[in-house]
Amino acid sequence: MNGVGEWLARGLRALRDDLWTTRLAPLPPFVLLRRLPHWHVILVGIGLALAGAAQITDEYRQGANYGLFCATAQGAAVVLALWRPVPAWWLSMTVTVVVALGARSPLLAGQAEPDASWPWGVPGLIAHAMVLLLLSLRLPTRASVAALGMTALITYVLEGLIGAAHYAPSGPAAVIVFAVVVLLGSALRGRREARTRLVEQETLTAEERARRTVLEERNRIARELHDVVAHHMSVISIQAQVAPYLVENPSEELKENLAGIRQNAVEALAELRRVLGVLRSENPEDPYGLGAAGAGAAPDTPQPTLDRLDALLENTRAAGLDVVAEVEGEAPAYPPGVQLSAYRIVQEALSNALRHAPGSQVRVEVAHHERGLHLEVTNSRPRRPVPSSPGAGHGLLGMRERAVMLGGHVSAYPTLHGGFAVSAFLPRDGAAIPRDGSDTSGDRDHGAGPGTLDGLELVFPDDPDHMPGRRPRPPTAEGNR
């Protein structure tokens, strides 16, 4: 018995919390119709008030002022349900009881219209059904079922226990209509909540995918830079080992210092190998030729530099793109990291052109300035429609990570002629240089439209407020790309 009592107590507390409240629960605007359904509900409430006043006056033979007052309260309950559904339900239920009890005496005395609907008149039934619908659209199913149960109980008390005479019973039909309305409203509410949770989950999934993509790309960059750093550490080790033999009668202090330098370089190389082993997954995706999947060892071939751009362009031409290259200025002695990043940025841009604009004309500009290296890869409109490709997410994200690592920036934007351009600037010494304009970039590998993704923004050239900051001498005609 104690268990049953506790269960009943919990049920009564839940019922009190659900149906004894005045909290605000507004009906949100619809996506396409905006506030139009709200105005329709208000108009329906006014119409039901007028119809209810006519019924109370004509069928129940009540006074005009009394009928207008009760009918207005019933219509107001419909409008109030747009914002506060629980008080609206109480108001509608109270008006129904008052009207039914007021009409009972004329029905018993035979003064009312013969076969008048009782205890629910048609206008009152429709009004209460709308209140229940609006309530079930906002409140949990438990509250909707409780309101339906209370309505059915009050209907039974009025018609089954109190009763009247010379009327057409409307209680069973009203309860059926109310049950259908509550079922429909609860189903629509559940569907809306499911769609909301789905959208939230998709948003979280997209954000997590973007973060994972950035981390994977940074791992690739770190694995590539291993060779650059390892080369310098090897040179330091060898120079420290050879230096004592280049000096006549070197002191013991000099030998000890050089031996310490060599020992530190060797230990740093060992740590680099351990770090590279951590960065390599069991089966890493390796689009840059870092070695076979799962090899676990550094590749034997050196990392590419700007000297190998000609070979890259030839391979791209062999794949079906018409590539034109232009070099401005004389190339200084860039650090290996700058050369590697520049090569990879051009490689990614050409790969994107092959994937998204097959058969197009591509223009590659390499400009050597005093402050750094500027790259621009522009492709024309593709010859045929190309289906959107979601890609793996490593294209422009990788370009951005490489440029930011060196203090540079990357911009990606559609051209006015239907093509696409990627512009990048890499400082000469890898130090960030202040620049005018905003750093904007997008990731075509995601197939994204206008918007942002993990700090990357896809910019359209017809938006003057979001034009990329620097891009030297863009092509002026399709034939120049």
Side-chain angles (χ1 to χ4, degrees):
M1 291 297 293
N2 291 334
V4 176
E6 291 179 359
W7 180 80
L8 289 176
R10 286 197 301 268
L12 291 175
R13 284 195 298 269
L15 183 62
R16 180 197 61 190
D17 294 339
D18 292 336
L19 297 184
W20 195 254
T21 178
T22 59
R23 63 177 177 269
L24 187 66
L27 184 69
F30 291 74
V31 176
L32 298 178
L33 301 179
R34 300 297 180 185
R35 293 286 181 179
L36 185 60
H38 296 66
W39 291 106
H40 285 170
V41 171
I42 294 174
L43 293 177
V44 170
I46 296 173
L48 290 174
L50 297 176
Q55 184 198 31
I56 295 173
T57 303
D58 297 339
E59 292 189 11
Y60 296 156
R61 299 294 191 267
Q62 303 289 305
N65 293 334
Y66 170 80
L68 181 61
F69 176 78
C70 293
T72 301
Q74 189 84 54
V78 175
V79 178
L80 180 62
L82 288 171
W83 292 276
R84 298 184 185 272
V86 174
W89 175 81
W90 279 110
L91 177 60
S92 177
M93 200 73 254
T94 302
V95 172
T96 299
V97 172
V98 170
V99 171
L101 293 179
R104 182 172 180 270
S105 295
L107 289 172
L108 290 174
Q111 298 174 356
E113 186 74 18
D115 296 330
S117 299
W118 189 86
W120 291 95
V122 174
L125 188 152
I126 296 175
H128 197 73
M130 290 196 64
V131 170
L132 282 175
L133 176 63
L134 294 172
L135 183 145
S136 59
L137 284 175
R138 260 82 54 76
L139 300 185
T141 304
R142 179 186 63 192
S144 303
V145 172
L148 175 62
M150 291 285 291
T151 301
L153 178 62
I154 294 174
T155 301
Y156 170 73
V157 171
L158 289 174
E159 184 175 341
L161 299 182
I162 298 177
H166 310 293
Y167 70 92
S170 58
V175 172
I176 293 175
V177 171
F178 297 154
V180 172
V181 166
V182 169
L183 179 62
L184 176 62
S186 299
L188 292 176
R189 176 180 175 274
R191 180 174 178 269
R192 185 181 70 246
E193 290 183 347
R195 293 182 61 182
T196 301
R197 287 194 295 268
L198 179 60
V199 171
E200 293 176 353
Q201 186 61 39
E202 288 179 349
T203 302
L204 293 176
T205 302
E207 293 176 354
E208 184 61 29
R209 186 184 300 115
R211 295 190 191 98
R212 186 173 64 249
T213 299
V214 171
L215 292 177
E216 291 175 356
E217 191 60 31
R218 288 176 179 174
N219 281 345
R220 282 190 186 83
I221 296 172
R223 294 200 302 267
E224 281 194 350
L225 290 179
H226 164 270
D227 289 351
V228 175
V229 177
H231 170 73
H232 289 295
M233 298 304 298
S234 298
V235 171
I236 293 174
S237 175
I238 294 173
Q239 288 178 338
Q241 185 178 10
V242 174
Y245 301 99
L246 302 179
V247 180
E248 184 176 357
N249 298 324
S251 63
E252 292 297 327
E253 183 178 2
L254 177 61
K255 290 182 179 180
E256 291 179 0
N257 288 334
L258 291 174
I261 294 174
R262 181 178 183 278
Q263 182 63 29
N264 289 333
V266 171
E267 291 178 358
L269 281 172
E271 294 297 332
L272 278 175
R273 294 191 191 96
R274 295 190 185 98
V275 171
L276 186 65
V278 172
L279 291 177
R280 286 183 179 275
S281 59
E282 183 178 355
N283 292 298
E285 298 177 4
D286 200 1
Y288 301 143
L290 290 177
D300 298 330
T301 58
Q303 295 292 355
T305 61
L306 291 175
D307 295 336
R308 297 177 58 185
L309 276 181
D310 292 338
L312 175 62
L313 298 180
E314 288 298 329
N315 291 336
T316 307
R317 294 188 185 100
L321 286 182
D322 181 8
V323 183
V324 177
E326 179 179 340
V327 179
E328 177 183 343
E330 184 176 354
Y334 292 112
V338 174
Q339 297 199 46
L340 173 61
S341 295
Y343 181 91
R344 293 306 188 198
I345 289 174
V346 175
Q347 184 185 46
E348 290 287 1
L350 293 175
S351 298
N352 273 353
L354 280 170
R355 184 183 305 112
H356 299 279
S360 62
Q361 295 179 330
V362 181
R363 184 182 185 87
V364 179
E365 296 186 14
V366 180
H368 303 283
H369 300 293
E370 181 180 355
R371 299 168 64 186
L373 174 63
H374 190 280
L375 306 168
E376 183 161 339
V377 180
T378 308
N379 63 267
S380 64
R381 183 194 302 270
R383 295 180 181 177
R384 59 183 181 277
V386 181
S388 60
S389 172
H394 297 290
L396 297 178
L397 279 175
M399 299 183 195
R400 174 185 178 275
E401 291 298 324
R402 294 178 186 279
V404 170
M405 174 186 64
L406 298 171
H409 58 85
V410 173
S411 298
Y413 48 93
T415 65
L416 294 174
H417 304 283
F420 204 85
V422 174
S423 178
F425 176 78
L426 304 178
R428 182 171 180 176
D429 56 356
I433 298 176
R435 62 187 183 92
D436 297 332
S438 59
D439 181 18
T440 54
S441 56
D443 198 337
R444 184 166 44 176
D445 285 350
H446 282 281
T452 61
L453 177 62
D454 194 46
L456 300 178
E457 181 179 358
L458 185 61
V459 180
F460 288 86
D462 57 352
D463 187 352
D465 294 332
H466 294 83
M467 288 295 287
R470 301 176 51 189
R471 51 180 191 273
R473 301 187 298 106
T476 57
E478 288 294 320
N480 293 333
R481 293 179 187 159

